[in-house]
Amino acid sequence: MQPRNVPTFAELIKDCHRSAVHLEMRDIYGVASEAEDFAEWQRLGTISAASVQRRQPWLDLVGETVRRGVVMRRARIVSVPVSEYIRYEHAGTYLNVQAGERVRWLPRRDAATLALPGADFWLFDDQLIRFGHFTGDGASAGHELTSDPDVVKLCNTAFEAVWERGVPHEGFTL
């Protein structure tokens, strides 16, 4: 499906019944919706109450989804030492965990022998992939959907391999 026709994440997650897994493989994201939050974290060195408030719609969506019985897992492959952006992500991940998301981190060196897709993705109910495409500086370049069984298998296998090797958020230190 072409990027302009891809439903929003909120629309996709509402049709999800069992699992939603997300693999992130970049060391920096330059997504416009996070710019204010990231700049504030850089100034303060902590996640502020205002930051929590800005994230509330996502946290509410995660909580509602998990309460419906959907298991939400996120795995992040990161270079070590980590980028400043990953430090920011790590600082706020406790909120995702509190909302019900399970999160693991995998140092890039430990992912070297894994077969991975070329883009970040969400996999819904082991049936539908939503690829996230990004520019070189991390800005969003749109999304793409596929339910091709071979692509779903590749992404599922990749995610589970990263998940197995990954370190739970609570145990991952920078």
Side-chain angles (χ1 to χ4, degrees):
M1 185 177 285
Q2 295 302 313
R4 65 185 171 280
N5 297 328
V6 175
T8 67
F9 179 84
E11 292 168 330
L12 292 169
I13 200 70
K14 286 182 181 178
D15 288 333
C16 188
H17 302 288
R18 294 181 318 281
S19 66
V21 302
H22 186 36
L23 182 60
E24 296 179 0
M25 299 181 283
R26 298 182 55 90
D27 287 322
I28 186 166
Y29 293 88
V31 180
S33 63
E34 292 180 340
E36 179 182 359
D37 208 46
F38 183 42
E40 181 183 79
W41 175 85
Q42 288 176 305
R43 281 192 317 276
L44 301 176
T46 189
I47 301 298
S48 70
S51 175
V52 174
Q53 191 64 30
R54 285 188 293 271
R55 296 169 190 227
Q56 202 59 55
W58 171 257
L59 300 172
D60 290 345
L61 181 61
V62 170
E64 292 165 13
T65 302
V66 170
R67 282 190 297 278
R68 284 192 295 112
V70 176
V71 176
M72 292 185 73
R73 296 184 293 159
R74 178 187 306 256
R76 292 178 171 141
I77 298 173
V78 296
S79 298
V80 176
V82 299
S83 67
E84 186 173 21
Y85 181 85
I86 294 300
R87 288 184 186 285
Y88 156 72
E89 271 196 336
H90 188 270
T93 296
Y94 78 95
L95 295 164
N96 297 58
V97 172
Q98 285 177 351
E101 230 182 303
R102 301 174 191 173
V103 180
R104 290 191 182 181
W105 303 79
L106 182 64
R108 192 168 309 282
R109 178 177 296 276
D110 296 336
T113 59
L114 299 178
L116 300 169
D120 290 9
F121 65 86
W122 277 95
L123 171 57
F124 301 96
D125 288 336
D126 298 320
Q127 296 176 20
L128 180 66
I129 298 285
R130 178 186 186 241
F131 284 113
H133 299 292
F134 297 90
T135 64
D137 63 1
S140 177
H143 298 94
E144 179 182 357
L145 289 181
T146 184
S147 56
D148 179 297
D150 292 332
V151 177
V152 167
K153 182 178 179 183
L154 166 72
C155 291
N156 187 45
T157 300
F159 180 86
E160 293 303 334
V162 171
W163 187 258
E164 183 178 313
R165 292 184 186 186
V167 177
H169 175 68
E170 299 77 16
F172 186 75
T173 56
L174 303 180

